[in-house]
Amino acid sequence: MDLEPFGAKWRSFGFETIELDGHDWAALVAALERPTRGRPRVILAHTVKGKGVARIENTVASHYKPALAADLELA
């Protein structure tokens, strides 16, 4: 069974669904501070694994390889 589309599935269960760029801190804070509308809420933060670290960005390696000091200087 496919997991996508997440947003449509949560909405079908009656959740207020907010989808946003998970790297945008202001958008995340705004979503968390938004008043509820009497129903449960889910926030779907779309992200890129290893964002900003070119050596591991958007790779499976970002799950287990630590960022090196050289990577952090470039990010």
Side-chain angles (χ1 to χ4, degrees):
M1 185 169 157
D2 289 332
L3 296 176
E4 295 288 345
F6 287 123
K9 286 186 179 180
W10 285 107
R11 281 187 286 279
S12 74
F13 287 113
F15 279 71
E16 175 188 358
T17 305
I18 301 170
E19 295 191 54
L20 50 80
D21 175 356
H23 302 288
D24 181 348
W25 288 98
L28 283 166
V29 170
L32 291 168
E33 290 178 340
R34 200 161 110 184
T36 60
R37 297 188 175 123
R39 56 188 182 147
R41 173 184 295 160
V42 63
I43 298 172
L44 299 175
H46 300 282
T47 60
V48 174
K49 297 182 294 279
K51 176 88 172 164
V53 181
R55 183 174 62 88
I56 60 173
E57 185 171 307
N58 212 22
T59 67
V60 174
S62 64
H63 286 286
Y64 61 87
K65 282 191 175 181
L68 304 173
D71 294 328
L72 299 177
E73 290 173 11
L74 297 172

